[in-house]
Structures are given as C-alpha cells and as structure tokens.
Amino acid sequence: LLFALAGVGGLSMIQDDRARIGGAVSGVSAISLLTLASAITSGATVTDAPALTAFTLLVAISGFVGIRATEAVETPLPLFKSDAQELFLSDFTTDVTSFYRASVFGSLLVGASFLFSPVSPIALFEAEGPATHVLRADLGVYIVFLLAPVQAALFRASRDAELGESAKRALNVVTGLCCALLVCDGRLQVNQGTEAFASLTPESSNAAFYQAVTAALGDPAAVGRSSTNTSAAFGVGLLVALVYLFQATNQGLSRQTKP
C-alpha cells in the first residue's frame, strides 16, 4: 500500500521513481529469501512444504518484477548513490525536512537492529528459535527496504515543497499509521508475553510447557530483560507516527488556506 501511494499517477510516474521502487522491491525479495534459507539451514522445520514453495515463488517473482522496474533508468546504481549522498551528506536547515531525514535514519537503524542483531531488540529473553529469528529478521528487512525508502520519498517531497499534494498527504497518513501499528503491535506482544511467562508455575496445568520454557529460557518468574529500553523505543516510535499524521493534516490545511 505504501508503494502504491508512493507511485500514485500510474503511467505519469517519473522513471527515477520507478527505478527506486524496483530497487526496494528487489532488495526486500532477495534478502527475504536469504533469511529463509538461513532459517532452514539453522534447523527450522518445514511443516507445510506447498505453502513454503508458494511463498518462495511469490517472493522470487516480486524480486524479478523489481529488477525489471529498475531498468526504467539506464543506470540505476548512480541514481541510488546520488539519493544516498543527498540523504546523508546534504545540509538542510528546515525543521520539517530534517525530521524526514532523521526518520529515515531511525528506520535504517531499527531495521538493521532487527535484521543483524544476534538477539531480538524487544524480546523478553535472549534465546529464540529458528522460526522466531527469521520472522524478526524479515521485520528488519521490510523496515529497511520498504518503510525507509517511502520515508526518503517524503524527505524529497519536503525538500521540493511538494508535501501539500494529495498523494504526498496520503502517503504521510499511511506511513504514520504503519509506524503506529508497528509500535502498538510490538508493545502488545511484549506486554502479553511478560504476563504469560510470569504466570507460569511448576504447578500450572501445563507442567510440560513450563519445563520446556525453563529449559530453553530460564526461570519464567524472572521475566527476561528490563522493559526500560523497549518502553523508550515504543514511545519514540509513536511520537514519530504522530508527527507524520500531523504533517498530513497540516499540509492539507495549509493548501486550503492558500489564496
């Protein structure tokens, strides 16, 4: 949905944007396949081979379509390099443009932490199974290769004073909602997981499950890591989401009041 909004205009979309979207889609497809292969080689059990095959085929097709889209420009790599240099090296002084640039950096950092960290940034315990690991890594992939590029598109729109356009305002809304949903889902999982693990006792109805949890993760009564870092991260993420939603509303009002 984010990329559909990013590409509103259909055939009128400029070729550079087609190439950017293609690069993002092909990147997320390629690394998703790598994380899946890593999970299987690490011991993950395949319980539904047809579903896995269909998923792998879908991701591969998406990657192929993405690669074809990058051919919208003759040499896409210089375009990507130029975008990165502008994002990292250019000096922009407006508060709004600086916010969008900082939010891209934040997404790259958060996504990379989920993708590359040896332990989950928000898990209750450091131990995790192959399936949990691949799902956590894929979340990082989607943040880095899907969310961050859309935020970068809004950064360019802010630089060019185009945030008041209908497509850009819609993109702000959807980006803000996606960020808010990510934060709320993470907070919910942490809260439910904390309560579930803390409620386990040796005398619980499922003693075998308690023993399995204890063997894999330690004493459920001493639930995992401190929640201070996760609470701060969720708070910052929600604030960023609210700024995106505010920008969509503010730009719309500004456009209506122009003579």
Side-chain angles (χ1 to χ4, degrees), residues 3-218:
F3 276 105
L5 287 169
V8 163
L11 296 176
S12 64
M13 187 195 314
I14 64 173
Q15 301 304 308
D16 284 359
D17 284 344
R18 289 182 183 275
R20 290 179 178 116
I21 292 174
V25 172
S26 58
V28 74
S29 300
I31 300 184
S32 293
L33 291 176
L34 288 177
T35 60
L36 179 61
S38 175
I40 293 175
T41 57
S42 299
T45 302
V46 178
T47 59
D48 192 336
L52 178 63
T53 302
F55 171 79
T56 303
L57 182 61
L58 178 61
V59 173
I61 292 174
S62 298
F64 176 74
V65 172
I67 292 173
R68 291 295 303 272
T70 63
E71 298 173 359
V73 297
E74 185 175 350
T75 53
L77 289 181
L79 172 65
F80 301 155
K81 181 180 178 181
S82 175
D83 286 345
Q85 288 176 337
E86 182 179 37
L87 188 65
F88 283 89
L89 302 178
S90 298
D91 183 20
F92 293 97
T93 57
T94 65
D95 292 340
V96 174
T97 304
S98 297
F99 162 76
Y100 283 110
R101 180 166 63 170
S103 68
V104 177
F105 294 158
S107 291
L108 292 175
L109 178 62
V110 171
S113 68
F114 277 95
L115 179 57
F116 297 112
S117 175
V119 296
S120 173
I122 64 171
L124 301 177
F125 298 93
E126 294 187 357
E128 61 182 352
T132 305
H133 181 82
V134 72
L135 291 174
R136 185 251 293 182
D138 281 343
L139 174 61
V141 171
Y142 280 90
I143 292 175
V144 170
F145 286 95
L146 294 186
L147 180 60
V150 171
Q151 293 172 314
L154 287 170
F155 161 77
R156 291 189 294 272
S158 175
R159 175 202 63 193
D160 299 334
E162 297 175 349
L163 288 177
E165 296 179 1
S166 297
K168 302 303 190 300
R169 287 190 287 115
L171 189 58
N172 256 318
V173 170
V174 178
T175 304
L177 290 176
C178 287
C179 291
L181 289 172
L182 281 172
V183 170
C184 293
D185 179 68
R187 179 79 272 179
L188 180 64
Q189 290 188 52
V190 169
N191 290 344
Q192 290 184 340
T194 301
E195 295 172 1
F197 280 115
S199 66
L200 290 175
T201 64
E203 297 77 23
S204 60
S205 57
N206 194 344
F209 179 65
Y210 174 86
Q211 294 172 1
V213 170
T214 303
L217 305 176

